[in-house]
Amino acid sequence: MITGLLALAMGVLLFWVGWNHWRYRRQETINILEGVVLNFTGEEPLPPTKLDWFLKYLQALLGFVFGSFFTLLGAVIILNELEML
């Protein structure tokens, strides 16, 4: 049962991450660590490259795929433990 709950929580988290990446895919964003380093040094961030845009779409897609997979897996494990399957 614990395994099912962990898989379900992981699936929901990954799906949420995929949703956020898809929602902000056209905006220039930087991660927290890069923002701290840029604030400390006083530099401006570099413009995103085509690889950055590709990776942003890829992260969103992988979040949706793995989020759906782990959510389904967690539901199946929980239902199997409850002997409903």
Side-chain angles (χ1 to χ4, degrees), residues 2-66:
I2 300 287
T3 306
L5 290 173
L6 288 174
L8 189 64
M10 184 179 210
V12 170
L13 178 70
L14 286 171
F15 195 82
W16 176 72
V17 166
W19 175 257
N20 275 341
H21 278 293
W22 187 258
R23 189 171 157 196
Y24 298 113
R25 69 188 182 276
R26 291 197 172 102
Q27 296 177 3
E28 292 184 23
T29 57
I30 58 172
N31 60 27
I32 295 172
L33 181 61
E34 186 179 357
V36 169
V37 169
L38 290 174
N39 282 339
F40 183 71
T41 59
E43 297 289 325
E44 290 294 320
L46 295 174
T49 63
K50 289 187 180 193
L51 178 65
D52 294 330
W53 292 110
F54 171 74
L55 291 176
K56 195 176 276 194
Y57 278 92
L58 182 66
Q59 285 177 342
L61 179 69
L62 289 176
F64 285 134
V65 169
F66 285 120

